Amino acid sequence: MNAILLLAAILFILMTLVGGKKGARSFFAIFLNFGVIIFVLFFMNDPNINPIIVTLIACAFIGCINLFFINEVNIKTITAFLSSLITTGVLIGFIVIIAEKAMIQGFGEEEIEELSIFSLYIGVDFVKVAASVIIMSTISAITDAAMAISSPMREIHYHHPDISRKELFQAGISIGKDILGTSTNTLFFAFFGAYLALLIWFKDLSYSAGEIINSKIFSGEMITIFCAGIGVTMVIPVTSWITALYLVKRGNTADTAE
């Protein structure tokens, strides 16, 4: 516990020194997002409530926290929020179908031994829970990419107010190309970092490549990574188009706030 408090204090000090008030808000946003996740867990236990609906509401709150609470309400955050909502809305149906067809719901056989003493008849639709997990894992990457595009586009328009909508859109796409590779690779290595012990276990048990790929845990995480990557890729043109449309429409009256 002391180590956790020490690391939290170091993180808060560094974020405040580097980011000022915005850095401090970013630190407290971590706990607000944690509270939203706890909220989701409580309501997912109710069999009468659709987990996907709860997750979508939670994603809207997470988007508001990560964008409006940290960066305040301005052109950058509004366009990033709208782009995130549109992209997530398009992905929902695809994610639900993939979660159902891939049969990644529930627990893998690597986990079931520890849970064998408990009753698994808890009245929860694990297909929807699996889809909710993917959606929740995807929204943060989408929001991050949307903000990473809308912010420099606003700066470009501020310093070049006569830029055309097409040129600004192309600038957004160019920015998106730069962050696309790093964003998707971050998702990929986050999985391998979190599940490195599992991969070592697969090796010690002499799992074949086919057994690893078809493992429920491995395939579930890879599907999550691919869905998040698809979301990040889709949000680039969506954010570029919405931001270019809004900024050029407003002309020189565009927001000058940070």
Side-chain angles (χ1 to χ4, degrees):
M1 185 63 182
N2 291 334
I4 294 176
L5 291 175
L6 177 62
L7 291 173
I10 293 173
L11 178 62
F12 175 73
I13 292 170
L14 290 175
M15 291 179 73
T16 303
L17 289 175
V18 174
K21 292 182 179 179
K22 189 175 292 187
R25 288 198 298 268
S26 300
F27 178 81
F28 289 112
I30 297 173
F31 299 96
L32 292 176
N33 286 326
F34 181 74
V36 173
I37 293 174
I38 296 299
F39 163 84
V40 172
L41 293 177
F42 274 115
F43 279 91
M44 277 191 177
N45 287 331
D46 191 336
N48 297 318
I49 297 178
N50 190 326
I52 296 178
I53 301 299
V54 175
T55 302
L56 293 178
I57 296 172
C59 287
F61 277 102
I62 291 172
C64 290
I65 292 169
N66 293 341
L67 293 173
F68 300 135
F69 176 73
I70 296 175
N71 298 291
E72 301 178 349
V73 179
N74 50 55
I75 287 178
K76 298 177 292 186
T77 54
I78 292 174
T79 53
F81 184 73
L82 289 175
S83 303
S84 300
L85 288 183
I86 293 171
T87 305
T88 304
V90 172
L91 276 178
I92 290 171
F94 175 75
I95 290 174
V96 172
I97 293 172
I98 289 295
E100 183 176 358
K101 298 297 182 182
M103 299 294 291
I104 59 173
Q105 70 274 9
F107 303 99
E109 66 178 281
E110 295 81 12
E111 303 167 306
I112 202 66
E113 182 178 348
E114 299 173 358
L115 300 170
S116 59
I117 61 174
F118 301 104
S119 173
L120 300 180
Y121 296 100
I122 58 177
V124 175
D125 189 339
F126 273 91
V127 174
K128 293 180 179 178
V129 171
S132 297
V133 170
I134 297 174
I135 295 169
M136 189 72 73
S137 302
T138 301
I139 186 64
S140 59
I142 290 175
T143 304
D144 182 63
M147 189 62 188
I149 295 170
S150 64
S151 181
M153 286 183 67
R154 206 275 319 169
E155 290 297 325
I156 291 172
H157 181 266
Y158 176 68
H159 293 287
H160 303 279
D162 296 329
I163 190 171
S164 68
R165 183 179 300 168
K166 181 179 179 180
E167 291 174 331
L168 188 58
F169 172 78
Q170 290 174 341
I173 295 295
S174 179
I175 295 166
K177 291 178 181 178
D178 291 336
I179 68 171
L180 182 59
T182 54
S183 297
T184 51
N185 277 284
T186 298
L187 297 169
F188 180 76
F189 285 109
F191 161 72
F192 278 97
Y195 285 90
L196 184 60
L198 177 65
L199 297 174
I200 294 173
W201 190 48
F202 283 157
K203 177 182 177 296
D204 290 341
L205 292 178
S206 301
Y207 271 47
S208 66
E211 288 173 326
I212 294 175
I213 293 173
N214 287 287
S215 168
K216 184 172 288 189
I217 297 177
F218 184 86
S219 59
E221 288 299 323
M222 291 305 296
I223 287 173
T224 300
I225 291 172
F226 289 138
C227 287
I230 292 170
V232 170
T233 306
M234 287 177 58
V235 82
I236 291 172
V238 173
T239 306
S240 300
W241 183 77
I242 291 177
T243 306
L245 179 67
Y246 191 70
L247 287 174
V248 174
K249 184 177 180 180
R250 291 194 63 183
N252 292 333
T253 62
D255 180 23
T256 59
E258 292 185 359

